[in-house]
Amino acid sequence: MTSFDDILVKVREYRPDDDLSLLQKAYEFAAAQHRGQKRSSGDPYLSHPLAVAAILAEMKLDPKSVCVGLLHDIVEDTGTPLKAVEEKFGPEVAHIVDGVTKMSKIQFTSAEERQAENFRKMMLAIVDDIRVILVKLADRLHNMRTLQHLPPDKQERIARETMEIYGPIAHRLGMGKMRGELEDLSFSFLEPSIYGDLKDQVEKKRKVNEAFLSEVQSMVTEKMKESEIPVQLQGRIKRIFSIYQKMKRQRITLDQVYDLLAVRIITDSIRNCYGALGIIHNAWRPVPGRIKDYIAMPRPNLYQSLHTSVISSTGQAFEVQIRTQEMHRIAEMGIAAHWKYKEGRTVDQDEDSRINWLRQLVEWQQDMRDPGEFLSTLKIDLYPEEVYTFTPKGKVVILPREATPVDFAYAIHTDVGNQCVQSKVNGRIVPLRYKLRNGDIVEILTQSGHMPSRDWLSWVKTSKARNKIRHWLNVQQRERAIDVGKRLLEKEARNFSVNLKKTIDEIDIGPVAAEYGCHSVDDLYAGMGIGKISARHLLAKLIPDKVFDEVTAVKDSKLTSVVKKVFGISSSDSIEVKGVDGLLVYRARCCNPIRGEEIVGYITRGKGIAVHAKNCPNVQNLIYDVERKIDVEWRGTAEEAYTVRLAIHGEDRQGLLAEVTSVISDTRSNIRNIEARTYPDQNATIDVTLDISDKRHLEKLIGSLKKIDNVFEVERILRPSSAISERPSG
Ligand code: MN
C-alpha cells in the first residue's frame, strides 16, 4: 500500500518550495472520513485515494490536484457534504471534487459506437477544469489495476467503459502511457484468454527484446556520430492491445508484426533524416515494401516521418521512425487528428484545434515550474456550439447551445415533446424555456392530452422541435378549418333554404371536391374554412337548377359573420384579393396596413387571409412560405378610417403639445388618444393614436409634424411581433 510519505516525497521533488500542509490536512481528513471502510479487496478504503494521489504525483500535477486525489471519493462514498470540503480546502479543491463526483455518477451504458463518441465528447464538455479529467483518469487507472477483486459482471462493465471512453480520452490528451495501461488492463478483462496468450508470447521475449533495443540504440548512436548526424533516440515495445489490434486488422501473426520493436530517431534537418535512413539501410537489411516516406507525402493529418522496417543479423525485425524535431512536435501535437484518422473518421478541424490546445496545455503543465495558478484560472470549453445533457437514466442527449427542455423533450420522442408540461433539471423544476447547460440531467413531465403552444416556436433551438410543433399546429388548424368550412356551408344552405343533409346524402360530394382540385371532402371543407372556396359557389354546383343570388337569399348572407362569431375577427371590405371573390380578408393587427400602402396577403388556416404591410417585420419571417402568399390590392376608394399610432420625438418646450394637436387637426385627422412623456434630458415623446384615411394622408401628416420646431423624429409604431397568433402557421 502506498504511504502518504511516499506521496509527499514525490511532490516535494517537483515542488521543493511549496507549502504542502494542505496535502497533510487532506490526508488526515480522508483517513478520518473513510475510517472503517474497506475495498472489495479487503484493503482499507484509504489505500485507493492514496494510490490515486500517488498517480497524480507521478504525473507531476499541482498539489491541489493531489489533494483532490485524496479527497475524491469522500462526497460520494462517505456522505461528507461538499460544503465541508469547501470550508476546509477552499472552493477550488471543492470544485474539482464536485466535478469528479459528477463524472463518476455518469455510467456509460450503450454499446453503440456513436453513443461512445458522444459520451467521450460529453465527458470533455462537462468539465470546466482539466484537472477533473486528470483526477478521474488516475482514479480509473487504479480501479482498473485492482479490478480483479470485483464480481465478473462489474469487471466487464467497467472494463468496457474504460476501453471505450477513458482510454480514448487519455489518448486525446496525449497521455500515451495512461492510455496504453488503461487499454491493456481493459483488454485483459474483456478478452482474458487472447490477452493471456499474447502476453505470454511478449513477456517470454521481453528481456531479450529490451536488451536488443538498447543494443540497437547504441549502434545507431555510434553510426550517427561517425556521420556527424545529431540524434536523440527513443525505443519501445508495442503494447499488448496495440499488437492485438494490428494482428486482427492485418490478419497476421505476432512474428509478422514488424513494429513490435521500434526505435525513433529525432534529428535536426530533412537532409539528415534521409541521411540517417541511408545509414540504417546500410547497417540492416530493409524489409521490401516497408519503407514509407511520409516526409515527401505527409499523411492527411500532416504527420511526417520516414518509416522503415529492417531485419537484424539475428533475424529480428524492428521499425525505425526518423523525423526532425519540428515533425516530432507536429506529430505529438497533432495526435488528436491522428486518433481520428486511425479510427477512420473525418477530421473536424475546429474540434482538433481545440483538443490540440488542451493537449498542449497538459504538456505545458507538466513542464512548467508553477502551473497551479495558470491551470486554476483556466476554463475550458471544448464544444462551444453544443450542450451535453442526460436523461435520468444517463443517456446522453446532445443539443445546440441554448437549447431548452422542450428541445430535449422532442429529441426524446415527438409525443414527449407534444405533451410536455413541465421540466426538472437536476431535480429542480425549471421553466420550459430554461437554457440547458452541460451536464444537466433533464426530466420531462408529460400529461396526455396536453398540447404544444405556438409560443414555443419563438424560443426552441432545434429544427426537430420547430418542425414537430409546426406540424402539430398545422394538423390542429386544419381540423379547425374543416369545422369552420362545414359551418359556413350549413349557414349558407340555411340562407337559401336548402336541406343540406338531404342534398349531401343524395349527391356524391367526392367528385365535386375533385373538381375544386381537392383530394378529399375534408380538403373541400378546409378550403371553405380558409376562404379559398365559396360556400355559395359549392351549393350552386351541388344544386345546378337553383338560383343562388341576393334575391333568392332568405336574408343577407354575410359569409363571414359565422367566422366572426367563431374567431371574433372582422373582415375588411376594402381589400380585394386578385381574381378571387368572397374571401375572408382582414388587416393584420401587427402592422395594421392603411390604404395606399404596399400590401401582401397570407392565407392563414382557419382565419382567412391576413393582409400585412409589405414592410411588416412579420412578413420578413413569412417570405419563405411562398405558397401561402397571395396578391391583394386596395379596392375602390371606400371612405374608411385606419387607426395609426405615431410616436413624435422632440425636445420639450412650452406649447409643443398644443402645436402638435393643431397640426393634426389641420390635416383633418381624428385623434383617438394622445399622451406626452418628458424625460430628464429635456426630450419628450408624444404618443398619438389617430384615424388616417390612406397612405397619402399619413405621409402628409408626418411631413407637417416634422416641420414643427424642436421635433426631430416621427415614428409609426407597429405592434411588436406579439401578434404571432395572427401569423399564418408555416
Ligand atoms: Mn475513486
Side-chain angles (χ1 to χ4, degrees):
M1 179 170 146
T2 321
S3 79
F4 178 64
D5 285 341
D6 299 342
I7 296 169
L8 266 187
V9 168
K10 247 179 230 161
V11 178
R12 184 57 73 208
E13 264 173 32
Y14 63 91
R15 289 298 184 101
D17 306 322
D18 279 29
D19 174 10
L20 300 181
S21 60
L22 196 73
L23 267 181
Q24 183 74 39
K25 208 166 128 192
Y27 169 64
E28 282 159 16
F29 191 61
Q33 300 301 306
H34 286 299
R35 180 157 298 139
Q37 292 184 331
K38 289 219 179 311
R39 303 201 86 210
S40 305
S41 60
D43 288 335
Y45 196 91
L46 193 63
S47 64
H48 169 64
L50 278 171
V52 173
I55 294 168
L56 294 166
E58 246 158 61
M59 287 156 69
K60 296 193 168 61
L61 289 188
D62 66 304
K64 279 181 183 149
S65 301
V66 182
C67 261
V68 175
L70 291 166
L71 300 171
H72 78 273
D73 274 334
I74 65 165
V75 172
E76 179 76 357
D77 291 344
T78 74
T80 308
L82 191 65
K83 261 246 126 338
V85 178
E86 187 172 337
E87 277 159 19
K88 278 190 174 328
F89 303 98
E92 209 180 318
V93 168
H95 183 74
I96 308 171
V97 169
D98 188 38
V100 177
T101 308
K102 275 190 188 140
M103 238 177 153
S104 309
K105 277 189 187 154
I106 303 160
Q107 281 190 5
F108 172 68
T109 43
S110 165
E112 203 189 317
E113 171 66 13
R114 220 184 93 75
Q115 190 70 1
E117 166 69 10
N118 288 345
F119 206 85
R120 289 190 288 261
K121 283 170 85 177
M122 184 271 308
M123 283 291 198
L124 294 175
I126 61 169
V127 296
D128 54 5
D129 189 318
I130 180 74
R131 290 173 295 181
V132 171
I133 304 177
L134 303 180
V135 174
K136 184 62 203 165
L137 286 171
D139 176 41
R140 179 50 60 109
L141 181 59
H142 184 246
N143 284 334
M144 286 305 297
R145 284 175 181 170
T146 52
L147 198 63
Q148 68 274 18
H149 301 294
L150 291 187
D153 59 319
K154 278 197 175 171
Q155 288 181 355
E156 152 95 26
R157 185 184 65 73
I158 294 171
R160 190 159 305 282
E161 185 180 80
T162 304
M163 186 66 103
E164 309 226 345
I165 308 299
Y166 292 102
I169 286 178
H171 183 34
R172 264 190 173 187
L173 299 184
M175 304 161 75
K177 199 165 158 246
M178 169 75 77
R179 173 216 183 189
E181 193 176 347
L182 286 175
E183 283 182 349
D184 274 8
L185 283 165
S186 307
F187 186 50
S188 73
F189 286 96
L190 294 172
E191 297 287 355
S193 61
I194 302 177
Y195 175 84
D197 279 0
L198 262 180
K199 189 173 167 67
D200 283 351
Q201 293 181 58
V202 173
E203 283 307 314
K204 234 183 271 169
K205 288 161 90 184
R206 177 172 293 276
K207 277 226 164 71
V208 180
N209 282 337
E210 274 169 0
F212 174 80
L213 276 177
S214 72
E215 191 188 326
V216 168
Q217 285 185 59
S218 53
M219 280 176 74
V220 172
T221 308
E222 203 168 302
K223 288 186 188 299
M224 295 299 161
K225 212 178 237 168
E226 283 168 18
S227 310
E228 289 175 7
I229 295 178
V231 291
Q232 284 167 269
L233 298 177
Q234 296 170 346
R236 66 117 180 88
I237 301 175
K238 208 174 176 68
R239 298 201 71 115
I240 306 281
F241 181 63
S242 192
I243 295 171
Y244 167 71
Q245 278 182 307
K246 182 152 217 172
M247 287 169 62
K248 202 174 138 191
R249 202 171 46 236
Q250 302 187 354
R251 295 162 201 268
I252 53 174
T253 62
L254 183 60
D255 305 333
Q256 291 166 300
V257 178
Y258 284 118
D259 62 348
L260 177 69
L261 305 177
V263 174
R264 182 174 296 151
I265 300 172
I266 299 159
T267 182
D268 61 345
S269 64
I270 291 179
R271 194 162 170 269
N272 277 339
C273 286
Y274 288 103
L277 183 70
I279 293 164
I280 296 295
H281 283 171
N282 237 335
W284 293 283
R285 183 164 56 83
V287 180
R290 294 279 312 173
I291 304 163
K292 285 167 202 152
D293 186 348
Y294 297 120
I295 291 181
M297 288 203 290
R299 282 184 179 162
N301 61 4
L302 304 181
Y303 174 88
Q304 285 187 296
S305 265
L306 298 172
H307 287 194
T308 183
S309 291
V310 294
I311 312 252
S312 75
S313 52
T314 57
Q316 172 69 57
F318 62 99
E319 184 176 80
V320 180
Q321 301 168 356
I322 306 165
R323 59 180 72 149
T324 63
Q325 309 274 14
E326 174 67 7
M327 290 170 195
H328 184 58
R329 199 180 63 85
I330 291 170
E332 294 288 291
M333 302 241 296
I335 222 151
H338 186 56
W339 173 61
K340 290 219 145 188
Y341 169 68
K342 266 193 171 168
E343 292 189 4
R345 288 206 183 81
T346 50
V347 176
D348 170 348
Q349 279 295 341
D350 247 24
E351 181 182 326
D352 279 337
S353 60
R354 286 196 289 267
I355 298 275
N356 268 342
W357 172 77
L358 182 59
R359 182 184 137 65
Q360 217 177 349
L361 210 74
V362 176
E363 283 175 355
W364 283 342
Q365 86 82 31
Q366 279 164 353
D367 297 339
M368 276 167 79
R369 288 222 63 81
D370 188 22
E373 283 63 21
F374 170 67
L375 273 184
S376 64
T377 54
L378 189 88
K379 294 277 172 252
I380 54 173
D381 194 359
L382 283 172
Y383 304 98
E385 283 94 40
E386 291 166 346
V387 55
Y388 292 72
T389 59
F390 303 94
T391 66
K393 283 183 178 163
K395 189 176 174 254
V396 184
V397 178
I398 305 181
L399 297 166
R401 271 290 151 107
E402 306 210 319
T404 65
V406 171
D407 292 294
F408 182 95
Y410 277 104
I412 300 295
H413 194 277
T414 304
D415 290 344
V416 177
N418 283 342
Q419 300 182 357
C420 78
V421 283
Q422 207 174 53
S423 61
K424 278 187 185 174
V425 166
N426 304 324
R428 274 218 190 106
I429 290 179
V430 297
L432 284 176
R433 55 185 302 178
Y434 168 88
K435 285 174 183 160
L436 293 172
R437 289 186 306 201
N438 272 326
D440 278 349
I441 299 170
V442 187
E443 199 179 332
I444 300 293
L445 308 174
T446 59
Q447 198 177 73
S448 72
H450 187 81
M451 303 166 190
S453 155
R454 185 182 286 273
D455 294 348
W456 294 358
L457 286 175
S458 62
W459 44 257
V460 292
K461 281 283 174 292
T462 55
S463 52
K464 179 166 185 193
R466 183 162 295 126
N467 290 339
K468 294 293 180 185
I469 296 166
R470 283 231 172 90
H471 176 76
W472 191 91
L473 290 169
N474 285 346
V475 169
Q476 202 62 10
Q477 293 197 335
R478 182 179 142 83
E479 280 166 14
R480 278 170 54 174
I482 291 169
D483 190 45
V484 171
K486 280 182 180 163
R487 289 197 207 194
L488 283 170
L489 187 63
E490 278 162 19
K491 186 172 163 74
E492 197 69 344
R494 271 200 306 279
N495 283 344
F496 290 96
S497 309
V498 169
N499 183 339
L500 187 64
K501 201 174 171 316
K502 191 168 160 258
T503 310
I504 289 178
D505 280 350
E506 282 167 6
I507 303 165
D508 184 4
I509 202 164
V512 182
E515 278 179 49
Y516 281 101
C518 298
H519 293 295
S520 69
V521 178
D522 273 353
D523 281 356
L524 183 68
Y525 286 131
M528 272 185 291
I530 64 170
K532 260 194 161 169
I533 294 164
S534 136
R536 191 183 295 184
H537 194 267
L538 174 64
L539 281 177
K541 223 176 189 68
L542 291 174
I543 314 163
D545 46 354
K546 189 171 161 71
V547 179
F548 291 90
D549 59 21
E550 298 309 321
V551 184
T552 57
V554 172
K555 55 182 173 186
D556 182 46
S557 94
K558 247 248 155 74
L559 244 175
T560 55
S561 62
V562 65
V563 178
K564 191 172 170 182
K565 233 188 263 163
V566 174
F567 295 114
I569 332 159
S570 55
S571 84
S572 170
D573 289 333
S574 61
I575 304 169
E576 183 180 76
V577 178
K578 275 184 191 161
V580 200
D581 262 335
L583 289 184
L584 172 60
V585 179
Y586 66 96
R587 292 187 300 136
R589 270 189 284 166
C590 47
C591 51
N592 212 359
I594 60 172
R595 175 175 294 278
E597 272 191 299
E598 280 197 89
I599 46 176
V600 56
Y602 274 92
I603 301 166
T604 67
R605 289 204 201 268
K607 290 188 196 171
I609 292 171
V611 175
H612 293 262
K614 215 168 199 167
N615 61 2
C616 170
N618 284 342
V619 168
Q620 302 312 309
N621 297 333
L622 290 166
I623 34 182
Y624 62 91
D625 208 0
V626 278
E627 306 114 67
R628 291 171 169 258
K629 198 173 145 189
I630 194 160
D631 283 343
V632 288
E633 55 187 32
W634 298 99
R635 194 207 311 258
T637 51
E639 286 299 318
E640 193 179 351
Y642 302 90
T643 306
V644 168
R645 228 180 107 196
L646 296 177
I648 302 153
H649 305 286
E651 204 183 310
D652 195 22
R653 64 164 165 87
Q654 193 124 43
L656 179 66
L657 185 60
E659 204 168 322
V660 166
T661 31
S662 108
V663 163
I664 293 172
S665 67
D666 282 352
T667 53
R668 293 202 216 166
S669 318
N670 176 39
I671 297 177
R672 290 182 167 231
N673 184 48
I674 189 160
E675 242 174 84
R677 271 168 293 151
T678 54
Y679 304 103
D681 62 357
Q682 292 302 307
N683 284 338
T685 297
I686 299 167
D687 241 357
V688 55
T689 307
L690 68 179
D691 290 337
I692 293 290
S693 60
D694 59 19
K695 191 184 170 208
R696 265 175 57 197
H697 181 192
L698 180 65
E699 283 167 354
K700 198 174 146 206
L701 172 64
I702 291 176
S704 312
L705 287 169
K706 278 186 174 162
K707 278 187 201 135
I708 298 174
D709 280 348
N710 293 34
V711 166
F712 32 77
E713 206 193 330
V714 179
E715 183 189 6
R716 181 167 170 202
I717 304 294
L718 301 180
R719 274 177 32 140
S721 58
S722 66
I724 273 176
S725 62
E726 286 184 61
R727 280 208 230 162
S729 68

